[in-house]
Amino acid sequence: MNRKYDIVLFGATGFTGQLIAKYLAIHAKNENIIWAIAGRDIEKLHKVKNQLSGLLPDILSSDVKDRASLDVMTSQTKILMNAVGPFNLYGRDVIKSCIDQGTHYLDITGEPSFVADLYNNFFESAVQNKTCIINCCGFDSIPADFAAWLTAKKLPKDEPKSLKGYIRTNATFSGGTLTTAIQALHMEVQKTSIKTKIRRHPDAPKISLNIHFSKEINAWAIPMPVVDPHIVKRSIFRMPEDFGVAVSYGQFFVRSSITKVLKTVMPIAAAMVLVRFEIFRKRMFKKFKPGTGPNEERRAKTNFQVICFGTSKSANAKTVFSGGDPGYDETAKMFSQSAFTLLDKLRNNTIIYGVLTPVEGLGMLLVHRLRKEGIMIE
Ligand SMILES: NC(=O)c1ccc[n+]([C@@H]2O[C@H](COP(=O)([O-])OP(=O)(O)OC[C@H]3O[C@@H](n4cnc5c(N)ncnc54)[C@H](OP(=O)(O)O)[C@@H]3O)[C@@H](O)[C@H]2O)c1
């Protein structure tokens, strides 16, 4: 590909975007990349650039509401990293522009409906235009997707198997993440969210998705309406060579006591009722300010662990994937390393086209990179 930039980061002015820009600037020289940051507000982009140290980026102006400006941005780069959310609201035209321009694309969405729309409606055109689209390259869903894949690979291929992912974290969220969650919840209760079309294999073991006390982890387990199970199930469906054919996946959030279970479940249940009312949504959008999030001190005290247990008739396996602040510092790392991996694949001519999961598009190369960067994957 003959393009001016290897990587353009769109949404560099956001809370997460700024952390990603910082990570890219530090690593750009070693990775031998020419890069730029992009967004709708040039003044803000200059402020972001002025705070960076390392190899500094160029600045590009682009607004999701102006398709021509998207095409100018996407036509100049080999890979677009998209951190502009909510993706349900802003993502579709960015995808269309990338596919039209044959520009490879990565994002950090955590919105199941957005991803389902791409799987259902953009896969063929991405293949035709030789474009690689990979969603969920942050905490959603790299740990869950890779933990499930690595666990399945340790079990006999021809035996039906169940994979259960358990997530522990003490993380807090950015304004952008909470706004995105409210917006996605609203689509869910309005029944306007798009669903994927994957069915469970009839021989795959059933996993009960109730709140329960899990003996495997000796703690309470809560199924959560997050994007990870959608991504893992898509990987299972797309990669039978690695996973086997009759595989089920369930994912749970871990809490140490019943009080903590209630503290987690009650606000979500309340939000599911209140989100129907415009006044509540407006209040929440006002409260959760874009560009805000947990400060450095808070993030330094934050960590995560994703444990995947796999069981088949004759064997058990377990993968632990863990690191620091999942939503922001580690997301900046996972997202940037995903882009470097994709660039490696582009340079080695091993890139795959279509709308792919992180495991399908990035594979072991990303695992090696993340381990070198201090993420524990065992
Ligand atoms: N997968 C994960 O694990 C993970 C982790 C973190 C975040 N996220 C997701 O990433 C998204 C961003 O989160 P955040 O906390 O960084 O949010 P944020 O602080 O609100 O940032 C939003 C970004 O989108 C940009 N934007 C908004 N409207 C735009 C438009 N019309 N044209 C161009 N750019 C526009 C904003 O630009 P301005 O500065 O000009 O407003 C800003 O750069 C959210 O959807 C969040 O859920 C996912």
Side-chain angles (χ1 to χ4, degrees):
M1 286 176 97
N2 193 12
R3 301 272 168 108
K4 186 169 179 188
Y5 301 109
D6 295 304
I7 290 173
V8 169
L9 169 64
F10 189 34
T13 55
F15 180 75
T16 319
Q18 291 184 50
L19 294 172
I20 301 161
K22 203 168 153 190
Y23 189 94
L24 288 173
I26 292 168
H27 290 79
K29 195 165 175 234
N30 270 355
E31 296 291 340
N32 192 20
I33 62 165
I34 299 168
W35 71 299
I37 52 175
R40 59 179 168 177
D41 186 331
I42 290 288
E43 213 173 294
K44 262 190 180 179
L45 286 165
H46 276 286
K47 275 191 195 149
V48 171
K49 182 174 173 176
N50 289 341
Q51 283 165 12
L52 299 177
S53 52
L55 188 66
L56 299 185
D58 285 353
I59 286 177
L60 302 178
S61 168
S62 191
D63 190 318
V64 288
K65 291 174 182 155
D66 174 359
R67 174 62 204 264
S69 79
L70 289 177
D71 290 346
V72 170
M73 170 181 70
T74 57
S75 62
Q76 293 188 68
T77 184
K78 294 172 185 166
I79 295 173
L80 186 81
M81 296 174 70
N82 189 9
V84 174
F87 291 81
N88 280 324
L89 295 182
Y90 302 141
R92 219 169 191 257
D93 274 356
V94 184
I95 292 286
K96 281 187 190 164
S97 174
C98 281
I99 293 179
D100 286 352
Q101 302 298 330
T103 300
H104 307 300
Y105 167 101
L106 302 170
D107 69 32
I108 49 167
T109 183
E111 292 147 77
S113 177
F114 176 67
V115 177
D117 181 24
L118 303 190
Y119 292 156
N120 296 349
N121 300 312
F122 289 90
F123 188 91
E124 274 81 24
S125 54
V127 173
Q128 268 164 20
N129 285 14
K130 298 192 170 170
T131 309
C132 174
I133 309 276
I134 309 177
N135 309 108
C136 303
C137 296
F139 179 60
D140 295 308
S141 297
I142 283 186
D145 201 23
F146 278 86
W149 180 57
L150 294 170
T151 304
K153 272 154 63 91
K154 292 276 178 202
L155 297 171
K157 207 185 281 183
D158 52 350
E159 292 180 9
K161 51 186 83 71
S162 79
L163 302 171
K164 288 190 204 166
Y166 294 96
I167 303 208
R168 279 181 215 270
T169 182
N170 56 351
T172 53
F173 305 106
S174 71
T177 301
L178 291 165
T179 302
T180 300
I182 293 288
Q183 199 276 334
L185 207 56
H186 186 222
M187 281 177 74
E188 204 57 46
V189 299
Q190 275 186 316
K191 303 202 187 307
T192 54
S193 60
I194 299 163
K195 308 286 178 203
T196 41
K197 294 172 183 163
I198 299 172
R199 298 270 172 278
R200 193 173 62 91
H201 190 283
D203 297 335
K206 267 200 175 141
I207 296 178
S208 156
L209 291 177
N210 295 319
I211 299 175
H212 64 282
F213 189 84
S214 162
K215 285 185 186 150
E216 270 168 333
I217 45 159
N218 199 27
W220 289 89
I222 314 171
M224 300 283 274
V226 292
V227 75
D228 291 348
H230 301 270
I231 298 298
V232 175
K233 285 175 189 173
R234 173 82 180 181
S235 292
I236 291 169
F237 170 71
R238 294 271 309 158
M239 302 171 76
E241 281 300 307
D242 287 6
F243 281 92
V245 284
V247 187
S248 48
Y249 182 76
Q251 185 169 300
F252 304 91
F253 188 54
V254 176
R255 300 271 78 184
S256 56
S257 68
I258 193 73
T259 316
K260 287 188 178 165
V261 170
L262 292 174
K263 277 189 181 167
T264 307
V265 172
M266 297 302 266
I268 298 172
M272 281 178 83
V273 176
L274 294 170
V275 80
R276 292 160 206 267
F277 302 103
E278 198 183 353
I279 186 164
F280 172 79
R281 295 196 302 278
K282 276 191 176 160
R283 274 231 172 141
M284 292 300 109
F285 292 148
K286 209 168 160 190
K287 187 172 170 192
F288 306 142
K289 291 202 170 42
T292 61
N295 63 26
E296 209 171 334
E297 197 187 335
R298 176 68 183 84
R299 296 200 310 275
K301 292 179 189 150
T302 309
N303 53 47
F304 77 92
Q305 191 179 49
V306 174
I307 309 173
C308 184
F309 289 92
T311 314
S312 72
K313 196 174 165 203
S314 68
N316 295 310
K318 173 179 158 186
T319 304
V320 182
F321 191 124
S322 57
D325 168 53
Y328 306 101
D329 292 318
E330 298 294 45
T331 283
K333 183 188 289 177
M334 290 187 261
F335 192 27
S336 304
Q337 290 293 338
S338 297
F340 301 154
T341 305
L342 195 61
L343 202 57
D344 290 343
K345 285 183 162 264
L346 196 56
R347 286 168 176 163
N348 304 336
N349 232 353
T350 54
I351 201 161
I352 313 170
Y353 306 126
V355 184
L356 312 176
T357 63
V359 154
E360 196 183 1
L362 304 168
M364 275 318 279
L365 274 180
L366 180 62
V367 173
H368 297 318
R369 276 185 165 275
L370 292 178
R371 280 182 174 144
K372 274 193 197 152
E373 284 296 293
I375 301 246
M376 202 194 75
I377 306 169
E378 287 183 328

PDB file of all heavy atoms in Angstrom, residues 13 35 46 61 144 152-153 159-160 181 263 367:
ATOM      1  N   THR A  13      -8.555  13.127  20.814  1.00  0.00           N
ATOM      2  CA  THR A  13      -8.826  14.125  21.866  1.00  0.00           C
ATOM      3  C   THR A  13      -9.659  13.541  23.012  1.00  0.00           C
ATOM      4  O   THR A  13      -9.847  14.204  24.025  1.00  0.00           O
ATOM      5  CB  THR A  13      -9.589  15.331  21.276  1.00  0.00           C
ATOM      6  OG1 THR A  13     -10.762  14.823  20.623  1.00  0.00           O
ATOM      7  CG2 THR A  13      -8.737  16.102  20.290  1.00  0.00           C
ATOM      8  N   TRP A  35       2.910   8.430  11.509  1.00  0.00           N
ATOM      9  CA  TRP A  35       1.537   8.430  12.027  1.00  0.00           C
ATOM     10  C   TRP A  35       0.961   9.829  12.169  1.00  0.00           C
ATOM     11  O   TRP A  35       1.679  10.833  12.094  1.00  0.00           O
ATOM     12  CB  TRP A  35       1.476   7.670  13.343  1.00  0.00           C
ATOM     13  CG  TRP A  35       2.109   8.333  14.538  1.00  0.00           C
ATOM     14  CD1 TRP A  35       3.415   8.688  14.699  1.00  0.00           C
ATOM     15  CD2 TRP A  35       1.440   8.707  15.746  1.00  0.00           C
ATOM     16  NE1 TRP A  35       3.604   9.240  15.936  1.00  0.00           N
ATOM     17  CE2 TRP A  35       2.418   9.265  16.600  1.00  0.00           C
ATOM     18  CE3 TRP A  35       0.118   8.607  16.198  1.00  0.00           C
ATOM     19  CZ2 TRP A  35       2.103   9.740  17.881  1.00  0.00           C
ATOM     20  CZ3 TRP A  35      -0.185   9.064  17.472  1.00  0.00           C
ATOM     21  CH2 TRP A  35       0.794   9.633  18.292  1.00  0.00           C
ATOM     22  N   HIS A  46      -3.974  19.988  18.672  1.00  0.00           N
ATOM     23  CA  HIS A  46      -2.661  20.588  18.938  1.00  0.00           C
ATOM     24  C   HIS A  46      -2.316  20.478  20.412  1.00  0.00           C
ATOM     25  O   HIS A  46      -1.171  20.204  20.769  1.00  0.00           O
ATOM     26  CB  HIS A  46      -2.637  22.048  18.468  1.00  0.00           C
ATOM     27  CG  HIS A  46      -2.336  22.159  16.996  1.00  0.00           C
ATOM     28  ND1 HIS A  46      -1.068  21.944  16.489  1.00  0.00           N
ATOM     29  CD2 HIS A  46      -3.140  22.417  15.934  1.00  0.00           C
ATOM     30  CE1 HIS A  46      -1.103  22.074  15.171  1.00  0.00           C
ATOM     31  NE2 HIS A  46      -2.352  22.357  14.804  1.00  0.00           N
ATOM     32  N   SER A  61      -7.747  16.878  10.151  1.00  0.00           N
ATOM     33  CA  SER A  61      -9.094  17.277  10.567  1.00  0.00           C
ATOM     34  C   SER A  61     -10.121  16.333   9.941  1.00  0.00           C
ATOM     35  O   SER A  61     -10.110  16.108   8.724  1.00  0.00           O
ATOM     36  CB  SER A  61      -9.332  18.715  10.102  1.00  0.00           C
ATOM     37  OG  SER A  61     -10.684  19.021  10.232  1.00  0.00           O
ATOM     38  N   ALA A 144     -10.827 -11.690  26.874  1.00  0.00           N
ATOM     39  CA  ALA A 144     -11.795 -12.789  26.816  1.00  0.00           C
ATOM     40  C   ALA A 144     -11.585 -13.641  25.563  1.00  0.00           C
ATOM     41  O   ALA A 144     -11.590 -14.881  25.631  1.00  0.00           O
ATOM     42  CB  ALA A 144     -13.219 -12.230  26.837  1.00  0.00           C
ATOM     43  N   ALA A 152      -9.152 -23.341  24.569  1.00  0.00           N
ATOM     44  CA  ALA A 152      -9.713 -24.343  23.649  1.00  0.00           C
ATOM     45  C   ALA A 152      -8.606 -25.120  22.936  1.00  0.00           C
ATOM     46  O   ALA A 152      -8.719 -26.328  22.721  1.00  0.00           O
ATOM     47  CB  ALA A 152     -10.618 -23.655  22.630  1.00  0.00           C
ATOM     48  N   LYS A 153      -7.510 -24.415  22.607  1.00  0.00           N
ATOM     49  CA  LYS A 153      -6.419 -25.074  21.883  1.00  0.00           C
ATOM     50  C   LYS A 153      -5.732 -26.159  22.713  1.00  0.00           C
ATOM     51  O   LYS A 153      -5.037 -27.013  22.179  1.00  0.00           O
ATOM     52  CB  LYS A 153      -5.374 -24.023  21.442  1.00  0.00           C
ATOM     53  CG  LYS A 153      -5.720 -23.414  20.077  1.00  0.00           C
ATOM     54  CD  LYS A 153      -5.154 -22.028  19.862  1.00  0.00           C
ATOM     55  CE  LYS A 153      -3.681 -21.910  19.850  1.00  0.00           C
ATOM     56  NZ  LYS A 153      -3.088 -22.060  18.505  1.00  0.00           N
ATOM     57  N   GLU A 159     -13.712 -33.286  20.895  1.00  0.00           N
ATOM     58  CA  GLU A 159     -14.667 -33.440  22.008  1.00  0.00           C
ATOM     59  C   GLU A 159     -15.466 -32.151  22.203  1.00  0.00           C
ATOM     60  O   GLU A 159     -14.881 -31.063  22.195  1.00  0.00           O
ATOM     61  CB  GLU A 159     -13.909 -33.754  23.314  1.00  0.00           C
ATOM     62  CG  GLU A 159     -13.256 -35.121  23.308  1.00  0.00           C
ATOM     63  CD  GLU A 159     -12.515 -35.407  24.624  1.00  0.00           C
ATOM     64  OE1 GLU A 159     -12.648 -34.628  25.586  1.00  0.00           O
ATOM     65  OE2 GLU A 159     -11.793 -36.422  24.658  1.00  0.00           O
ATOM     66  N   PRO A 160     -16.803 -32.252  22.428  1.00  0.00           N
ATOM     67  CA  PRO A 160     -17.566 -31.055  22.778  1.00  0.00           C
ATOM     68  C   PRO A 160     -16.962 -30.422  24.028  1.00  0.00           C
ATOM     69  O   PRO A 160     -16.460 -31.129  24.899  1.00  0.00           O
ATOM     70  CB  PRO A 160     -18.971 -31.599  23.070  1.00  0.00           C
ATOM     71  CG  PRO A 160     -19.047 -32.883  22.331  1.00  0.00           C
ATOM     72  CD  PRO A 160     -17.651 -33.456  22.355  1.00  0.00           C
ATOM     73  N   ALA A 181     -22.578   3.213  27.293  1.00  0.00           N
ATOM     74  CA  ALA A 181     -23.373   2.148  27.929  1.00  0.00           C
ATOM     75  C   ALA A 181     -24.847   2.548  27.997  1.00  0.00           C
ATOM     76  O   ALA A 181     -25.733   1.731  27.703  1.00  0.00           O
ATOM     77  CB  ALA A 181     -22.825   1.849  29.317  1.00  0.00           C
ATOM     78  N   LYS A 263     -24.876  -4.807  44.877  1.00  0.00           N
ATOM     79  CA  LYS A 263     -24.364  -3.485  44.511  1.00  0.00           C
ATOM     80  C   LYS A 263     -24.059  -3.386  43.008  1.00  0.00           C
ATOM     81  O   LYS A 263     -24.050  -2.312  42.427  1.00  0.00           O
ATOM     82  CB  LYS A 263     -23.089  -3.170  45.295  1.00  0.00           C
ATOM     83  CG  LYS A 263     -23.360  -2.631  46.679  1.00  0.00           C
ATOM     84  CD  LYS A 263     -22.067  -2.142  47.305  1.00  0.00           C
ATOM     85  CE  LYS A 263     -22.306  -1.627  48.699  1.00  0.00           C
ATOM     86  NZ  LYS A 263     -21.071  -1.440  49.441  1.00  0.00           N
ATOM     87  N   VAL A 367      -0.273 -12.082  21.002  1.00  0.00           N
ATOM     88  CA  VAL A 367       0.035 -12.666  22.319  1.00  0.00           C
ATOM     89  C   VAL A 367       1.510 -12.405  22.664  1.00  0.00           C
ATOM     90  O   VAL A 367       1.838 -11.937  23.757  1.00  0.00           O
ATOM     91  CB  VAL A 367      -0.269 -14.188  22.337  1.00  0.00           C
ATOM     92  CG1 VAL A 367       0.210 -14.837  23.626  1.00  0.00           C
ATOM     93  CG2 VAL A 367      -1.770 -14.426  22.147  1.00  0.00           C
TER      94      VAL A 367
END
